[in-house]
């Protein structure tokens, strides 16, 4: 939901459309760029109810504007996915279901999920992976605290530091030592500090996978 992840989605979807449909092709999209300042670090029921209302209103507006499928460009906001999906008649493509399908396709049996605190600790995201018989390492609170700080205090405001890159590399190395066969980037901004294609473990970049699902839909292959 940060403008940074919106930019990444826009770029990834268009690059994939161009690669598959031709150099002059681009993706027909409607984008509702929401103000993330009131939707960060939510914890109370009232805060999540407000987030659900904001996203449901946005989804209805997109459907009214002609959207034939909808993506929520934020992993954490999939906590209110069911309410958003119920608010519209068009499909809402679930990011964790896309990631889980890709991991199952690659034969991953044991993985680690990293992202914001609620993505790592709550069941709404994890259960989508477990439903595909993917065993998830239990979240380590030290990693949870570090990742939550990096995401909210740095990445969401566009701040990328060598220190954050080193901390992520240490976390990924530890996850490999703990037995993870792969790691899910359960935050759309984490690709800013993780070398997705050059790491100690296979990295499943949720944004790239979600964007691919959008392109499949756009090109009539989804």
């Amino acid at each position: 939901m940060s403008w940074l992840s919106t930019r990444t989605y826009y770029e990834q979807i268009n690059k994939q459309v161009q690669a598959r449909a031709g150099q002059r092709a681009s993706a027909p999209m409607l984008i509702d760029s929401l103000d993330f300042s009131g939707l960060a670090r939510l914890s109370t029921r009232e805060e999540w109810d407000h987030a659900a209302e904001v996203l449901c209103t946005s989804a209805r507006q997109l459907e009214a504007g002609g959207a034939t499928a909808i993506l929520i460009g934020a992993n954490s906001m999939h906590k209110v996915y069911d309410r958003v999906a119920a608010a519209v008649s068009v499909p809402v493509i679930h990011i964790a279901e896309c990631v889980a399908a890709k991991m199952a396709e690659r034969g991953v049996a044991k993985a680690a999920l990293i992202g914001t605190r609620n993505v790592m600790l709550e069941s709404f995201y994890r259960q989508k992976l477990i439903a595909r018989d993917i065993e998830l390492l239990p979240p380590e609170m030290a990693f949870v605290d570090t990742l939550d700080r990096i995401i909210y205090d740095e990445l969401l405001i566009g701040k990328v530091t060598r220190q954050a890159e080193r901390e992520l590399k240490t976390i990924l190395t530890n996850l490999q030592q703990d037995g993870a066969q792969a790691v899910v980037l359960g935050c759309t901004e984490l690709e800013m500090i993780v070398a997705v294609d050059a790491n100690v473990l296979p990295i499943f970049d949720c944004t790239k996978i979600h964007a691919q699902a959008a392109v499949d839909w756009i090109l009539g292959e989804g």
Side-chain angles (χ1 to χ4, degrees):
M1 292 208 141
S2 72
W3 67 265
L4 296 150
S5 64
T6 302
R7 178 182 64 184
T8 301
Y9 266 97
Y10 185 76
E11 182 178 23
Q12 294 240 6
I13 291 171
N14 272 293
K15 281 186 174 180
Q16 291 186 45
V17 166
Q18 186 180 46
R20 288 161 59 176
Q23 288 297 307
R24 291 185 174 83
S26 57
M29 283 188 285
L30 298 173
I31 298 175
D32 189 5
S33 182
L34 303 175
D35 181 4
F36 195 51
S37 62
L39 299 171
R41 282 189 167 135
L42 308 184
S43 58
T44 68
R45 175 177 290 184
E46 291 75 19
E47 288 172 339
W48 281 110
D49 284 344
H50 170 68
E53 290 175 8
V54 171
L55 266 66
C56 286
T57 298
S58 174
R60 292 190 192 101
Q61 291 172 344
L62 291 170
E63 182 180 27
T68 59
I70 292 171
L71 276 69
I72 302 171
N75 290 265
S76 59
M77 287 296 136
H78 281 71
K79 181 180 173 74
V80 296
Y81 169 89
D82 290 342
R83 292 164 71 172
V84 177
V88 293
S89 60
V90 298
V92 181
I93 301 173
H94 198 297
I95 192 169
E97 290 179 354
C98 296
V99 173
K102 185 67 69 175
M103 296 179 79
E105 178 185 310
R106 300 277 180 84
V108 176
K110 188 174 185 179
L113 170 65
I114 61 174
T116 59
R117 183 179 301 274
N118 67 321
V119 166
M120 292 184 70
L121 298 183
E122 297 185 38
S123 63
F124 70 90
Y125 198 101
R126 299 176 67 86
Q127 66 187 3
K128 297 295 184 182
L129 305 179
I130 294 170
R132 289 281 190 153
D133 295 324
I134 299 165
E135 179 186 352
L136 290 176
L137 294 182
E140 295 189 28
M141 288 310 300
F143 295 168
V144 172
D145 292 340
T146 296
L147 287 161
D148 208 64
R149 172 183 54 78
I150 290 172
I151 292 166
Y152 283 115
D153 295 345
E154 298 181 23
L155 301 184
L156 284 173
I157 60 173
K159 183 180 179 182
V160 176
T161 66
R162 292 297 300 275
Q163 176 63 24
E165 291 174 348
R166 285 192 291 266
E167 288 178 295
L168 257 293
K169 189 172 183 178
T170 298
I171 288 173
L172 293 173
T173 300
N174 284 324
L175 292 173
Q176 181 192 39
Q177 293 170 350
D178 290 342
Q181 297 174 343
V183 173
V184 176
L185 296 189
C187 169
T188 50
E189 287 83 12
L190 277 175
E191 56 88 27
M192 295 165 64
I193 56 171
V194 175
V196 174
D197 297 321
N199 221 292
V200 293
L201 283 169
I203 302 293
F204 285 80
D205 182 352
C206 61
T207 310
K208 185 176 181 179
I209 294 169
H210 207 198
Q212 183 178 16
V215 175
D216 289 344
W217 183 271
I218 289 168
L219 300 180
E221 301 171 11

